[in-house]
Amino acid sequence: MEEKFASFVKEALTNFIETSSKSDFSEVLIEGPELKIFIRKSDNYQSLPVFNPPALSTHVYEPEESQLQIEEIKSKWVGIFQHNKEKLNVGDKIETGKLLGSVRCMNLLFELKSPVDGEVLDIMVKNEEIVEYGKVLFKISKKQEDFLENVL
Amino acid sequence: MSFEKVLIANRGEIAIRIIRACKELDLKTVAVYSEADRDSLHVKMAEEAYCIGPASPTESYLNIVNIISTAIMSGADAIHPGYGFLAENPRFAEICEQYRLKFIGPSAHVIQIMGDKARARETLLNIAPIVPGSNILEKLPEARNIAHDLGYPVMVKAAAGGGGKGMRIIQNPQQLENLWPIVQAEAKGAFGDYRLYLEKYLSSPKHIEFQILGDNYGNIIHLGERDCSVQRRNQKLIEESPSCVLTHKLRKEIGSIAVKCARKVNYTGAGTMEFLFDQENKKYYFLEMNTRVQVEHPVTEMITGIDLVKEQIRVAGGEKLKYSQEDVNIRGHSIECRINAEDPDRFFSPSSGRIERFSLPGGPGIRVDTYLQDGIYVNPYYDSLLAKLISWGQDRNEAIERMLRALKEFEIIGVKTVIPFHIKSLKHPFFIDGKMGTDFIERAFSD
């Protein structure tokens, strides 16, 4: 049944491409034993397949933010946060070990480094802001390979 | 006063007690808390509060870097350590001094001397009688000889010990061989110091301690004694003042020695000199000094009318003691029962869980110091002390009657508490006659 179906779709589309290139019609009706395909050509609709069989799908999976693997970078110290001289921006790609910023604590600077490869999703701290233990400073979306590696 | 804003480096009831004292003195307060204590009462009561670490005390209430940084960042200019945690850590007191934060307690140097139990004994050797014993011992062969000379039973104790930890009773030479390495390992684990010393073990002594207050101008007074003989595993459960076994003459004599000891080290702030009192021959021996405010300080407050925590803060702020020795008058009798989340039927094992409901006692002569709130989780990470129930009466009988009445009013649902044990203890003939020693629990409830 599936083979028959795929063969019908292939044949119908081939017919359509061949016919449409030679004529200026705006509507096509292709009818088979178990299926009907209706195509309208207009200014708004260059080609409008009314049925897209799953076997030919080209949809790319894009996860919602909530489904992303997000690493929250929290402060381990109580102190004053300092961004790098070249401040990170949302969307920056970062690697494991990349310096994200520092926390000044008892006049010492404690460096904050990324534990993962990924992309800066959110910056939740301002320069010279007082931070306490556990405050989320950055959100990093982990690289997908990391996620798959973790899962596997 | 030399400071305006106090960071309280503690949790639970003592943090609340200190916040209250600060408010009465018009000082601003900063609380610190672990992630487990986010909803605690002390966090709500302070004007500012900062999270300093996870539930584990080593990463939060003992996290010197985050505590000092919180103080600097919040603009606090003094730190009150309460009791436990960093209260008797000379390194912490020293770091406070380096960062120009007033440590509310004695100097790092005094904590160092008095906190090292063996060194304190050596320092006060010519002033206070001490339990016959040894200096610090490095090795077992030395201990063997000294234990033989003292005569068994002996106590083996950690030089850096306290709070009932790092000590064992040794009945015979074989036990000494077996337990010496174990106590050494315990001392190393608990205090980071493996050194031990030996003391003659007294079979049924009373634990009597004297409250001291000293200022920066050489004024030192004592505020009478507390009898803390009701203990389990060397940790106090019931304390009272005055003690039934001290005559006025003995009180004056031991109090004067306690003041001399404090003077010897130029003691400032609130402190406690602990003694063992041998009831048979009326002899007393210096045991150790605690360089902080004690859990049981309220009984002294009840009978003297002096707010110890406020006085401690005032003298740390450079003020003179408000009271002379002649101003200290003892009135009535006070008892404190520690309401611990422990199961007295299961060897006082800690009982953690959520407080579903509680109801505090009240009425004449009753005080409750607590951090209890509906729904809080009693965390096994911390001390099991939920509340301190304190009674006051015109005499000991009335203090006991009021305490018994209050214990029955006190309702805590969700965890096991030692309330039933306190009721049994206060009714026991050994307690009623007031002569109970530190072996009270073994003797009274051995069945």
Side-chain angles (χ1 to χ4, degrees), chain A residues 12 17-18 30 33 43 48 57 69 79 81-82 94 98 103 105 107 112 127 135 137 139 150-152:
Chain A
I17 292 161
E18 279 177 7
I30 303 166
D43 290 346
L48 188 66
S57 168
Q69 283 296 297
F81 181 83
Q82 289 183 337
I94 51 168
K98 163 83 180 168
V103 178
C105 187
N107 299 329
L112 197 73
N127 204 37
K135 172 168 171 66
L137 306 172
K139 284 185 180 175
N150 288 341
V151 170
L152 293 170

Side-chain angles (χ1 to χ4, degrees), chain A residues 78-96:
Chain A
V78 183
I80 295 168
F81 181 83
Q82 289 183 337
H83 280 295
N84 297 340
K85 276 186 186 169
E86 286 186 20
K87 190 191 158 195
L88 285 172
N89 294 304
V90 171
D92 283 358
K93 300 270 188 286
I94 51 168
E95 290 174 353
T96 304

Side-chain angles (χ1 to χ4, degrees), chain B residues 249-270:
Chain B
K249 185 173 169 279
L250 262 175
R251 178 170 303 114
K252 213 171 159 188
E253 184 180 322
I254 308 175
S256 150
I257 286 172
V259 169
K260 274 186 197 161
C261 290
R263 205 177 292 287
K264 166 88 178 176
V265 291
N266 294 323
Y267 196 84
T268 56

